Amino acid sequence: MFAKPSIQLELSTHVWELALLALPMTLIVITAGIDLSIGSTMALCAVVLGLAHEIHVPIGLSAALAILTGLAAGVLNGIFVAYVKVHPLIVTLATLSAYRGIAEGISLGRPISGFPENFAWVGQGNICGLPMPGIIFAVAVIAFSLLLERSVIGHALYAMGHNEIASRYSGLPVNRIKLLIYSLSGTISGLAAVLFVARRNTAKADIGTGMELDVITAVVLGGTSIFGGRGRIIGTLLGVLLMHETREFVSWRWNNDELISLVVGVLMIAAVLVNSVLMRRGHKA
Amino acid sequence: MKALYARRESGVALVLVLTVVVVTLVNHSFLSATNISDMLVQCAPGMIIGCGLTLVIVTGEIDISIGSLMGLLAAVMGLLTTPEHLGLPVSVGVVLTLFLGTAVGLVNGFLVTVGRAPSIIVTLGMLTTLRGATELLMDGRWITGLPAKLRFLGTGSVTGVRVSLWTVALVIAAAMMLVRGTPLGQRIYAVGSNPQAARLAGLSLIRVKLFVFTLTGFLVGIATIISVPQLSTIESGIGIGLELFVVTAVMVGGASISGGKGTIIGTIFGVLLLGIVRTVLIFLNLGEHMVYWERAIQGGFILVAVVIDRFAKRRPN
């Protein structure tokens, strides 16, 4: 039985990093921006965590350093997007190369392992049967929902996505908000890296490759418009769930990992076509 | 000098020239005929696909399925022509490969124009779909024993110049002629810089966009047949990440992501700048560990080119 809770709980271990990263990505896409550097930021943070552990920095402090590295990476993206005013696609394409490159450079491409057991608990342990990463994700969902749907900043994000110039003239601190959301994206990438390393007990410069595309797929499947101005956290949750369940189902039912990309890709094209048809109906009505 | 500042390619051209000068000063053999030929061959697929992608980006769209398409075409070409599998004549295999590439480009264009779906999402879906199809086709195998005629396309020379270099020269010349000398070329820029005006002027946005996507699919086919046979085996990972490389190169070359701006020559500069980083690191002789920094330096180059471009534009005319 695929739908059995115990099986679902076991399969859920693969989803948490994707789910976490989809939250800040939703905010960014709502402003008509994009962050392609998240997978590379994860790699950089993971390598920082590993290297810090190797020189006997306490594991808690190493994890904090990793998250700070993510913050710094996000701040740099944000500065280029908001203040140098380069298109986010270009900035984050550049830092996609740069961050992974730095991760490869400082680790010389070798894997780092041997993390303590109490650290593994962060990624693999559970409280009352609920997996630790799941609890962290739940907290993040609440925080991001409040930020997007109950705060002034949330309203500003939609406004910026609809019409950035008008938002500027209305006195919204557009630049500062951009800096904030790209920094959040970097920080969450750092957090995702910590969870990933804790789960796999290994840090290497190739982790998170292609993660940006999976995350964007999930966010778009969840109904957030790539042109900005529209999207909700609940939609993103459904998008993540749809993508995760499709993958795990294909892998569980046919035991064929090659089929997964094919199904997810077709699903995505179908979803965006249906969306475009529905939108046109909506416009006519 | 003013005209130079106004050119959007100036940022990338400056960084490229400086890099070449510095490396040549350190190591004179950098500009030897063999090394130049090797670097150009290495950059050939990027330059060929870049020509098509530049036009896609000029129309205000994007195509990120090119890497996966190359993977699929490599697999299909290998399966069609190797004696171990279908063993068709190389010419038939090559034609079918080009045909499939063109067809996938057409489907992309169709979904974007008639289906009215955002191109980044359509081609992201296609990226995933085609990679999945490739993996299913290859089933974890490696294709070996490519026929000699096919290998010739990748490794052979005609009058002392590599086949891939002839092909690149031809594609660049054709693309520049298309852009500068034909009504279609002008329409591509018209559609990108002001879609409403273009529509009012009676241009078919659908036809122009269908054309650029189809052309890009065809060029991915061309890039596949001259680059993949350089190696003696074909595996399912060919082309992974190529989309990021080419899109980045086009952007570095001065094209605007919102359409209307971008030149073939700028893209060529962009591909060369990003494509020679590894060779540069080797020729600078900085030690074996330096190759690990290739991607970091590529990223740095992009940021530098972007910032130079930014400040060049802010200069009053």
Side-chain angles (χ1 to χ4, degrees):
Chain A
M1 265 307 281
F2 181 68
K4 222 162 96 180
S6 61
I7 287 191
Q8 284 297 319
L9 207 58
E10 196 186 310
L11 295 176
S12 78
T13 48
H14 304 290
V15 77
W16 301 120
E17 292 100 32
L18 169 78
L20 265 174
L21 291 166
L23 297 174
M25 185 69 89
T26 306
L27 268 49
I28 290 178
V29 174
I30 286 176
T31 66
I34 200 158
D35 185 353
L36 296 175
S37 72
I38 49 175
S40 298
T41 307
M42 262 182 82
L44 180 59
C45 297
V47 165
V48 166
L49 172 61
L51 290 176
H53 174 65
E54 264 190 346
I55 55 167
H56 307 294
V57 176
I59 192 69
L61 193 58
S62 306
L65 273 177
I67 295 176
L68 275 179
T69 306
L71 172 65
V75 167
L76 188 67
N77 284 337
I79 287 175
F80 269 98
V81 171
Y83 296 99
V84 188
K85 301 200 193 303
V86 182
H87 195 285
L89 192 72
I90 304 173
V91 173
T92 57
L93 263 176
T95 53
L96 178 152
S97 289
Y99 296 158
R100 190 169 301 281
I102 297 172
E104 282 165 355
I106 58 179
S107 70
L108 300 179
R110 72 203 158 82
I112 302 164
S113 53
F115 295 96
E117 262 180 39
N118 57 355
F119 178 59
W121 182 80
V122 177
Q124 300 163 13
N126 59 66
I127 297 175
C128 312
L130 296 170
M132 258 314 277
I135 295 172
I136 295 174
F137 174 64
V139 173
V141 166
I142 295 170
F144 275 89
S145 299
L146 288 177
L147 178 66
L148 184 61
E149 282 157 33
R150 289 280 178 278
S151 82
V152 183
I153 293 178
H155 284 287
L157 293 174
Y158 288 107
M160 284 159 62
H162 271 298
N163 192 335
E164 191 177 316
I165 298 169
S167 309
R168 267 182 212 282
Y169 282 121
S170 318
L172 289 177
V174 169
N175 291 347
R176 260 184 289 156
I177 293 177
K178 281 190 182 171
L179 184 60
L180 172 77
I181 54 178
Y182 286 91
S183 308
L184 267 179
S185 182
T187 312
I188 296 287
S189 304
L191 183 61
V194 171
L195 293 181
F196 185 95
V197 175
R199 175 157 66 80
R200 295 283 193 85
N201 193 26
T202 178
K204 193 164 179 267
D206 67 355
I207 74 162
T209 306
M211 184 62 110
E212 58 283 347
L213 298 183
D214 288 349
V215 170
I216 293 166
T217 305
V219 168
V220 169
L221 278 178
T224 301
S225 162
I226 200 81
F227 300 124
R230 251 200 354 254
R232 295 187 63 191
I233 295 293
I234 181 79
T236 294
L237 294 186
L238 291 175
V240 168
L241 191 67
L242 176 61
M243 189 160 151
H244 169 68
E245 294 299 332
T246 311
R247 285 184 154 180
E248 298 302 336
F249 182 76
V250 172
S251 148
W252 173 86
R253 177 73 179 71
W254 289 286
N255 198 16
N256 185 343
D257 283 353
E258 278 89 46
L259 205 57
I260 298 177
S261 337
L262 192 69
V263 173
V264 170
V266 170
L267 182 76
M268 182 160 179
I269 295 176
V272 71
L273 281 183
V274 168
N275 191 30
S276 126
V277 170
L278 288 180
M279 290 268 295
R280 258 180 280 167
R281 287 262 172 85
H283 274 298
K284 274 176 199 160
Chain B
M1 215 44 209
K2 263 183 195 167
L4 255 185
Y5 278 130
R7 302 286 304 216
R8 293 182 60 88
E9 303 86 25
S10 49
V12 60
L14 191 66
V15 181
L16 181 61
V17 169
L18 279 179
T19 310
V20 171
V21 168
V22 169
V23 181
T24 312
L25 285 178
V26 175
N27 190 335
H28 294 296
S29 48
F30 185 71
L31 280 187
S32 68
T34 346
N35 192 46
I36 290 180
S37 167
D38 284 352
M39 285 193 292
L40 289 176
V41 166
Q42 220 182 331
C43 294
M47 290 195 274
I48 292 172
I49 300 172
C51 286
L53 191 68
T54 304
L55 300 183
V56 171
I57 289 179
V58 165
T59 66
E61 303 289 347
I62 197 163
D63 185 349
I64 54 171
S65 67
I66 48 181
S68 295
L69 179 55
M70 184 182 248
L72 178 68
L73 295 182
V76 168
M77 183 175 72
L79 292 173
L80 286 176
T81 55
T82 45
E84 200 186 323
H85 299 98
L86 285 175
L88 292 175
V90 169
S91 52
V92 176
V94 163
V95 169
L96 286 176
T97 305
L98 287 177
F99 181 78
L100 179 62
T102 314
V104 172
L106 184 66
V107 170
N108 277 336
F110 187 79
L111 291 172
V112 170
T113 53
V114 181
R116 292 201 216 174
S119 53
I120 187 163
I121 306 301
V122 166
T123 56
L124 175 57
M126 202 53 102
L127 178 155
T128 316
T129 310
L130 297 179
R131 185 60 61 192
T134 308
E135 283 170 354
L136 277 179
L137 265 181
M138 297 290 282
D139 200 21
R141 283 169 302 175
W142 288 41
I143 300 175
T144 52
L146 304 184
K149 273 188 191 166
L150 192 64
R151 290 300 307 277
F152 176 78
L153 293 174
T155 56
S157 301
V158 177
T159 64
V161 177
R162 299 280 292 269
V163 175
S164 47
L165 297 188
W166 285 113
T167 317
V168 169
L170 203 69
V171 168
I172 295 176
M176 289 179 102
M177 262 156 58
L178 169 76
V179 167
R180 298 213 176 141
T182 66
L184 181 59
Q186 292 172 352
R187 278 181 208 150
I188 292 171
Y189 282 83
V191 163
S193 45
N194 194 335
Q196 269 80 26
R199 191 180 290 141
L200 289 176
L203 293 184
S204 164
L205 266 64
I206 292 189
R207 253 185 268 165
V208 171
K209 287 186 179 175
L210 265 182
F211 172 77
V212 291
F213 277 102
T214 312
L215 177 70
T216 302
F218 172 74
L219 289 178
V220 173
I222 298 273
T224 307
I225 59 179
I226 56 116
S227 70
V228 172
Q230 282 171 14
L231 301 172
S232 54
T233 53
I234 297 177
E235 35 93 25
S236 67
I238 288 175
I240 288 183
L242 182 69
E243 62 283 345
L244 294 178
F245 178 79
V246 183
V247 170
T248 313
V250 174
M251 296 296 157
V252 169
S256 157
I257 193 75
S258 42
K261 293 192 192 88
T263 59
I264 300 292
I265 194 75
T267 296
I268 303 303
F269 286 150
V271 172
L272 288 176
L273 178 64
L274 299 183
I276 64 172
V277 170
R278 178 175 285 261
T279 319
V280 163
L281 291 179
I282 293 166
F283 273 81
L284 283 179
N285 228 343
L286 298 170
E288 54 183 317
H289 289 330
M290 270 317 281
V291 287
Y292 286 106
W293 289 92
E294 180 190 6
R295 304 250 296 164
I297 291 166
Q298 278 181 346
F301 269 159
I302 306 166
L303 287 178
V304 169
V306 160
V307 171
I308 289 182
D309 184 56
R310 195 72 227 172
F311 289 109
K313 261 187 290 172
R314 274 184 194 169
R315 237 169 250 272
N317 292 335

